[in-house]
Amino acid sequence: MAADVIRTKKFVTDAASFIVDLTHKALAERQEFRIALSGGNTPRPVYSEIARIGRDLPWERILITFGDERCVAPDDAQSNFRMARETLFVPASVPEKSIMRMRGEIDPQIAAQQYQDDVDLLATQRGEQIYRHDLILLGLGDDGHTASLFPDSAALNEASRRVVANFVAKLKAWRLTFTFSLINHARDVCFLVNASKQAKLIDRVISGDPQFPASRVNPTAGKLTWILGE
């Protein structure tokens, strides 16, 4: 299915509205909203805007996971959890039980297995084989990576597991990440990208150039949207 590409000069407000609208839709249809957050700098102002416009959302019926995490402590400046906590969780008073944090501070293999177990338990409780996110937010790196699915890394070929520890050679570091099987199971996937930075790369990924991991994001029974800030 072709991606829906939204080019906008009002990136932050449009992205936040897109997410909040989907939240209301899921809550109306299924009484809960399941979202996976992405890290990095691009979504930071978007999360702040959601906290501002989404104050009245029933956060106790919203389940927040993370598509990837750096292997650092939760208070580290590099932590995706810390960024989301500062911009969204604290300002919007999101209750603790709505947040599922990846444990970047423990052994990566154990952390990945724990997270997969947690996600699988949510699926089991809902009578699903694989946990189905209502929305997974993703970013795009300069090398075409998304989540922590980097070019030439082992996780690209993972077919059975849904969360893995992935060693990224060029960073000489481990990352925790969703795999394509979990990402492509979502109802909606949305890339949030600063388009001015990498226009050529975006075009190649959207057209499906297989050398870039992000081009392999293609929900099997869901929608793919790109929100490009121009």
Side-chain angles (χ1 to χ4, degrees):
M1 201 168 91
D4 194 8
V5 181
I6 300 165
R7 298 178 186 274
T8 173
K9 291 191 163 50
K10 306 192 308 270
F11 175 75
V12 171
T13 49
D14 285 355
S17 299
F18 174 86
I19 294 163
V20 171
D21 289 350
L22 263 187
T23 308
H24 287 302
K25 183 170 163 260
L27 288 166
E29 287 174 9
R30 293 178 294 279
Q31 283 67 60
E32 68 174 0
F33 180 62
R34 318 169 183 187
I35 181 172
L37 301 182
S38 62
N41 287 316
T42 306
R44 186 185 287 267
V46 177
Y47 297 163
S48 296
E49 179 67 3
I50 293 169
R52 192 182 72 78
I53 66 174
R55 284 196 194 284
D56 303 332
L57 285 172
W59 289 101
E60 70 285 351
R61 290 199 281 134
I62 296 171
L63 250 160
I64 301 168
T65 54
F66 285 83
D68 74 320
E69 184 56 278
R70 283 86 180 257
C71 290
V72 295
D75 56 357
D76 189 284
Q78 291 292 304
S79 164
N80 289 343
F81 168 78
R82 176 179 166 170
M83 187 272 279
R85 187 175 175 278
E86 289 173 351
T87 54
L88 179 59
F89 304 159
V90 172
S93 305
V94 179
E96 243 165 61
K97 68 174 182 59
S98 292
I99 304 160
M100 277 176 58
R101 177 174 81 79
M102 285 181 165
R103 296 181 64 198
E105 72 277 18
I106 65 171
D107 176 280
Q109 308 294 342
I110 295 171
Q113 186 62 53
Q114 280 185 355
Y115 209 74
Q116 174 164 297
D117 291 346
D118 289 345
V119 169
D120 286 352
L121 178 61
L122 291 174
T124 303
Q125 289 166 344
R126 288 156 179 77
E128 300 169 352
Q129 292 219 291
I130 296 181
Y131 182 66
R132 190 163 194 209
H133 285 87
D134 293 305
L135 175 61
I136 295 179
L137 297 175
L138 294 172
L140 179 67
D142 295 336
D143 56 0
H145 84 264
T146 192
S148 279
L149 297 164
F150 284 79
D152 306 319
S153 64
L156 298 184
N157 304 311
E158 179 57 57
S160 59
R161 303 186 52 157
R162 292 166 281 292
V163 183
V164 294
N166 195 29
F167 186 73
V168 183
K170 73 170 187 180
L171 303 175
K172 299 187 175 60
W174 287 91
R175 292 281 186 91
L176 304 171
T177 187
F178 284 4
T179 61
F180 289 118
S181 66
L182 186 57
I183 293 171
N184 286 329
H185 195 63
R187 288 188 172 88
D188 273 272
V189 178
C190 180
F191 280 92
L192 300 176
V193 184
N194 174 355
S196 52
K197 217 171 60 175
Q198 47 208 81
K200 281 196 180 68
L201 171 67
I202 292 165
D203 290 343
R204 289 179 66 184
V205 171
I206 290 175
S207 67
D209 188 328
Q211 80 178 69
F212 302 115
S215 71
R216 291 172 56 181
V217 174
N218 192 10
T220 43
K223 270 180 60 194
L224 177 60
T225 305
W226 287 75
I227 301 181
L228 304 176
E230 306 214 303

